[in-house]
Structure formats: C-alpha cells, structure tokens
Amino acid sequence: MTEARIVEPSVKNEASMAILASTAALTACGGGGSSGPNVAPDNSSGTNNGNTPGNANTLAAQIDASRFLRQASWGGTTSEIKEVAALGPAVWLDAQMNQALSNNMTRWLITKGFNDSAINSNVNGDGGWVQMMWCKLFSAPDLFRQRATLALSELFVVSHLGLPISWRNFAIANYWETLEANAFGNFRNLLEAVTLSSAMGTYLNMKGNQKYDAKTGRSPDENYAREVLQLFTIGLYQLNIDGTLKLDAAGKPIETYDNNDIQGLARVLTGWNTATGTDPAGELAAAAYRHGLPMALNASLHSPEEKKFLGTTIPAGTLGIPSLKIALDTLFQHPNTAPFVCKQLIQRLVTSNPSPAYVARVAKVFLDNGKGVRGDMKAVWTAILLDTEARQSTGLTTYGKLSEPMVRLLQWGHTFQATSIDGAWTLGYTDSDTTLGQMPMRSPTVFNYFRPGYVPPNTQLASQNLVAPEFQILTEPTVVSYVNYMAGTVNNARNIKADYTYEKTIAADATVLVNHLNLCLTSGALTSANQGLIVSALNTISTATEAGLLNRIYAAILLVMSSTDYLIQR
C-alpha cells in the first residue's frame, strides 16, 4: 500500500469550505446529523455539587470528565480525564483555584533579555510579548486560572493593537498578570485593578485624562467611562436577574444610562496618569517598570465639581480617590452587573445560549456566595461549571458553542503536551485570515473579536432567535485558514511540537486511534458516521514505516479537529 502524506488543503476550494461553514451552523442548532439535547428544565437549586465521583474506568464517566475539562481547561489528557472521572469536577476545580500563580510573564521577559533597552524592538516593537503569551498558555500548570483569565481578557478587552507606547511588552504582561491575580478574588477588586492598570489607561484613554478647562474648552475624555458602562459592567439595557431584558409599558427595552451619565462618570475618571518610580532591582527601564504599577492620581487635574451618574451624586470638592471608590462601588452594586457579567462568562466557557434559569442561578451566586459576600469570583466560576445545565450531556438542541480558534490550538497543545523545542516559543501571530483569525490580546477593537449577542444572518440560528458569538469570525477564509494552519501544526512543522509517543503505540489500529481522539478532543461527540469516515480514510495510510505511522496520527488529529462534531463544543 502506498503511503499517504498530509497535504495542506487548497485554499481555492472555497465552495466546499462554505459548505463546511454551513454545516457547522446547522450543527450548532442541533442539526447536521448530530443528536443534541433539549433545553434544560428549570431547576431551583441548579447546582450539581460535582463531588460525586464516577467510576474512572467507565466510558460514560470519562466522557463527562472530558466535557468538563474542555469547559474548564484546554481539554484533558487521558490521565487528567481519568483523574476527574474518579474524583469529580468539584475536587479538581477547587484544587485548581487554590493553585499558586505560575510562570510570571514579566519575569519571563526579563529572563529572555527583552528588558534590554539597547534593542529597539524591545522598546518600540513587540519585545517578545507574543512568545511570552504562547509560553504562558501552553505551559502554565494552573490550567483553570489561565482559562478564566482568557475569558476575562475577552470581557475587559485590551489589545496590543491599541497600545502605541514604548515597552508595551511589559504593559501587556502586567495586564494579563492583573487579570489572573484577580480572577479568583472579588469582582469589585478586579474592576478597580483593571480600571487603574497602565495598559487599560492607555487603551481607553483614562491615562492623562484631565478636568474641564474653560480657556481651551477641553472636556474630560469619555472613552473609558462609556466602555466601563457598556462593555465591562452593566450594558446598554436594564436586565432581570436571569439576563432577560426589562421592558417598559410599551414593550421596549429600558436604557441603563444616557450621555449625562457618561459625562458625569468621565469627570470622576480625571487626574489619573502613569505612576512614578524606578525599578529597585535595576532590571527595567523606568517606563517599563511603571507599566507594572497602578496609575497614580494628580489631584490638581481631577475635576472638583459635583458629579452625577446612575442616580449617584458625588459632592463638589470630593477628592479623586474617594470619588473613584464611589463610582466603582456604584457599578459593582448595580442590579445589571451580576446578570450582565455572568451570562458572558457562561458564554465563554460553556454555551452560547444559556437558559434564563441558568443565568439567574449564577447571578444569584454573584450577589451572595452563601456567606453574604457579593462578587466572589471563586463562587461564580464554580456555579458556572457545576450547574446542572453545564454538566448535563443529553437533551439540549440549543446547547453548546463554537469553539474559539485559539482555544482549539491550545487544546491540541495541551492534549499532546506540546512544547517549544528551544524555549523560544516562536509561534508568531495567529490573528490574520491566513492563520487562525484570532489571538489572545490582539482583538481588532474593544468589542473583542465578536459580540456576545451576535446572530449569524440567514441561518437556522437566526430563525430560532439564538446567538452564536464565535460565528462572527467564522468566514470562508477563516475556515480554510484554520484547516491549513492546523495541518501545518499537528505535523510538528512549527517551533511548538507535540509528543505523540502514546499515539504511536495505538496508531496501527485506526479504530483505536480514533476512539482515543474522540474521547480526548471531542468528549465523545464524534458521530458513528464520522468515525467510520475517518477510520476509512486513515486505513489508506500505511503504518509500515515510522513516517507512515506519524502521517496517520497527523491525519487523524486534523480530521477530528476539522469535523463539526469537534468544532461545536457541547
């Protein structure tokens, strides 16, 4: 039998890729030949404590564990799946949230020499931040913290593309560290840390924001005030606790704020700028070091007048720091914040269309963790992942989400223990239409790569009033480029290479290999028909040689990761 080689698909075959994209849309709706569950029934308690261990040797228990790890991590290795199946999701999750911070990004940049001010690309270019990001996400052992931090980075968006500053590598490193340090703390502290971070201050123009000047007519910048309202905390319209819209007497949505609220909040956010100070260790230039400090207040540039917003009045003469505290407390206590934030975090980890009951259960935990504490993010993450709607595996036709391209790449890396052969992590940018169309910290706007309420036009999703945020970046070019990119990745042609030692021991039997990938990659979602097609294709590849054996493994992974059974995470 002639050995087959992995050949990158032709990008010219756009018609077939359009069919693939359409099939993915149908699958997300519960069609496309995949049997999907029905909408979850309301459950007043709704939380599965997750402590009930299964028999790790049963396929059903392992599939459930694999589903959980795909939501809470970058998927799972065989050993991790068995561990979760034996212990239960709650035990794994609790251990993860109590794990220490790891792989400090600022330290990585310094160790690799990206703090050297004599090198212009360090000061004014990328300065290693891309390599730093991939190293962190591929190798950090605190898996759920990184998964949660990625989700938060898509809510509190800062993008490399909007940081026209020197030493932005250290600004990005500090911002990621700010998110991960607060990911399991209190939302109020997270909101303040984000607000005062150097990167956010630059990205949304709060840094250097000054009070009104009657001589020049200069008014406070409204950018951060607008986005912290619209995108980070309360959203455009008033919500019920279950995330559904509140309506007025005419049946219309009720706006949460108006331009007067934006202007009032903008005045609060004046007087803040880059902190002063130099690195006591002498490792960082002053500008790089200051990116790691919260912004500092220049009281003379803070607006002294009375400020009104969202029904709150800050008296004239109130100093800048207490004014900011009042403003952030107001946002934290707003009735919209819990459902607005919680629904989006559910969307990032679990499903695009959570039931109102699911949103309400999680939002109530945000309001009170059971001990009288509001905003406990550990409790919120636990509620999201252990809810009955997250843990059920059957009966939902509207359940699931299109997996994000960058998450798919990370799942490949984690599942097969990929690492950089030389420690450089030179994977490069992946956000172009010729790669994955997405990369951490590189979204084109503050609105992320996609909006949480995006509905693909002219689809069954639209006809069913369902949202599919990730479909906003699913286009014919990105479908083609994803397959091409992964074809050139799974075959270890890049700097980051997988370890296929175990897969080589089973690859001679195509059925066993596909069963293994079905568990680890798709959590048992491959239909019998697709399994048969993949096995038939793999059987055309001889395993008589080492090259043939590897080619079969490469082909198997690529075919599974290109299937709609995999692309739609359920």
Side-chain angles (χ1 to χ4, degrees):
M1 183 180 295
T2 303
E3 287 184 6
R5 295 186 179 276
I6 300 297
V7 179
E8 293 192 356
S10 170
V11 296
K12 295 180 181 179
N13 192 3
E14 293 186 355
S16 62
M17 292 301 105
I19 293 172
L20 177 58
S22 299
T23 305
L26 290 173
T27 306
C29 297
S34 177
S35 59
N38 296 314
V39 176
D42 189 4
N43 183 320
S44 57
S45 64
T47 299
N48 175 349
N49 65 25
N51 282 314
T52 305
N55 183 341
N57 294 318
T58 69
L59 181 59
Q62 291 181 18
I63 287 174
D64 287 344
S66 179
R67 285 185 63 252
F68 170 78
L69 288 170
R70 199 170 177 195
Q71 295 165 348
S73 177
W74 317 124
T77 63
T78 302
S79 60
E80 288 168 342
I81 290 169
K82 290 181 178 179
E83 178 186 14
V84 172
L87 299 177
V91 173
W92 183 91
L93 187 60
D94 183 67
Q96 282 286 313
M97 288 195 289
N98 285 296
Q99 193 164 342
L101 288 161
S102 68
N103 300 17
N104 182 270
M105 296 170 105
T106 296
R107 177 51 48 191
W108 190 91
L109 289 172
I110 293 171
T111 300
K112 296 293 184 179
F114 291 109
N115 60 329
D116 188 346
S117 59
I119 300 174
N120 184 61
S121 61
N122 289 346
V123 182
N124 299 307
D126 288 344
W129 85 266
V130 178
Q131 299 97 299
M132 168 197 74
M133 182 62 66
W134 291 128
C135 176
K136 180 75 167 183
L137 293 176
F138 273 98
S139 65
D142 50 341
L143 295 167
F144 180 59
R145 187 186 297 274
Q146 299 313 310
R147 186 72 184 88
T149 300
L150 182 65
L152 292 173
S153 77
E154 295 183 89
L155 176 66
F156 299 104
V157 173
V158 164
S159 174
H160 163 262
L161 298 173
L163 296 176
I165 52 176
S166 64
W167 296 108
R168 57 184 171 177
N169 48 352
F170 286 95
I172 292 171
N174 173 259
Y175 190 69
W176 191 271
E177 290 162 2
T178 295
L179 294 179
E180 66 177 2
N182 289 278
F184 303 148
N186 192 280
F187 184 84
R188 172 60 177 80
N189 296 335
L190 170 63
L191 180 60
E192 181 168 333
V194 165
T195 298
L196 294 180
S197 72
S198 177
M200 182 62 80
T202 297
Y203 188 60
L204 291 181
N205 309 120
M206 183 174 156
K207 186 182 289 185
N209 193 15
Q210 299 181 35
K211 64 185 179 182
Y212 173 73
D213 187 327
K215 291 183 180 179
T216 64
R218 181 195 66 225
S219 296
D221 189 283
E222 298 175 1
N223 202 8
Y224 187 70
R226 181 179 295 104
E227 307 307 355
V228 74
L229 291 168
Q230 179 182 347
L231 301 178
F232 300 167
T233 55
I234 66 174
L236 293 171
Y237 301 106
Q238 292 184 28
L239 302 173
N240 296 303
I241 189 65
D242 64 3
T244 58
L245 291 171
K246 288 185 176 180
L247 304 177
D248 62 17
K252 302 293 184 182
I254 306 167
E255 293 184 349
T256 51
Y257 61 89
D258 59 24
N259 201 51
N260 290 328
D261 294 308
I262 295 173
Q263 292 175 349
L265 184 56
R267 295 187 187 101
V268 175
L269 303 174
T270 53
W272 296 91
N273 213 326
T274 304
T276 59
T278 56
D279 182 8
E283 295 178 309
L284 296 175
Y289 175 72
R290 291 166 185 170
H291 285 319
L293 303 175
M295 291 188 292
L297 181 72
N298 182 336
S300 67
L301 299 178
H302 178 71
S303 296
E305 68 269 27
E306 179 183 79
K307 308 166 189 73
K308 294 183 178 182
F309 59 95
L310 301 178
T312 295
T313 299
I314 299 178
T318 304
L319 298 178
I321 292 176
S323 291
L324 181 66
K325 180 183 185 301
I326 293 170
L328 297 182
D329 285 346
T330 300
L331 294 174
F332 179 53
Q333 295 291 335
H334 194 283
N336 257 38
T337 300
F340 181 79
V341 170
C342 292
K343 183 174 181 178
Q344 290 192 64
L345 296 181
I346 292 171
Q347 287 182 310
R348 295 283 58 75
L349 299 186
V350 180
T351 182
S352 296
N353 294 278
S355 69
Y358 183 8
V359 175
R361 290 191 292 266
V362 177
K364 289 175 182 177
V365 171
F366 183 102
L367 297 179
D368 185 341
N369 66 352
K371 300 178 181 178
V373 177
R374 186 187 189 101
D376 177 357
M377 291 305 294
K378 272 190 178 181
V380 169
W381 294 119
T382 300
I384 288 172
L385 290 167
L386 300 187
D387 190 88
T388 52
E389 192 164 323
R391 300 279 43 86
Q392 64 191 325
S393 57
T394 59
L396 291 177
T397 55
T398 60
Y399 182 82
K401 64 193 294 290
L402 177 64
S403 179
E404 297 176 55
M406 60 185 176
V407 174
R408 298 174 221 158
L409 174 66
L410 292 168
Q411 185 183 7
W412 165 79
H414 180 70
T415 301
F416 304 108
Q417 300 296 285
T419 190
S420 173
I421 56 173
D422 57 5
W425 299 94
T426 51
L427 192 61
Y429 291 121
T430 61
D431 58 317
S432 71
D433 281 350
T434 58
T435 51
L436 296 179
Q438 192 185 33
M439 181 178 170
M441 301 289 291
R442 279 274 293 184
S443 73
T445 73
V446 70
F447 294 96
N448 194 21
Y449 285 96
F450 41 75
R451 300 294 295 122
Y454 176 75
V455 179
N458 305 314
T459 63
Q460 289 188 32
L461 289 165
S463 68
Q464 296 179 52
N465 295 317
L466 298 174
V467 302
E470 296 85 357
F471 274 72
Q472 195 166 355
I473 57 173
L474 182 71
T475 63
E476 289 184 17
T478 59
V479 170
V480 174
S481 64
Y482 165 70
V483 176
N484 283 341
Y485 187 86
M486 293 308 298
T489 301
V490 303
N491 65 355
N492 282 342
R494 306 189 195 281
N495 175 265
I496 298 176
K497 301 185 185 301
D499 179 359
Y500 296 128
T501 301
Y502 173 72
E503 287 68 32
K504 286 166 67 175
T505 68
I506 62 174
D509 188 326
T511 299
V512 174
L513 177 61
V514 171
N515 286 342
H516 165 63
L517 299 180
N518 187 21
L519 175 62
C520 292
L521 293 176
T522 77
S523 307
L526 273 180
T527 63
S528 297
N530 283 342
Q531 289 182 61
L533 288 172
I534 293 173
V535 168
S536 295
L538 296 181
N539 280 331
T540 67
I541 305 173
S542 170
T543 58
T545 65
E546 175 81 0
L549 196 68
L550 288 171
N551 275 340
R552 179 176 284 192
I553 294 168
Y554 303 154
I557 295 171
L558 182 63
L559 289 170
V560 170
M561 294 188 71
S562 300
S563 71
T564 53
D565 297 334
Y566 167 76
L567 296 173
I568 304 302
Q569 172 189 317
R570 291 187 181 275

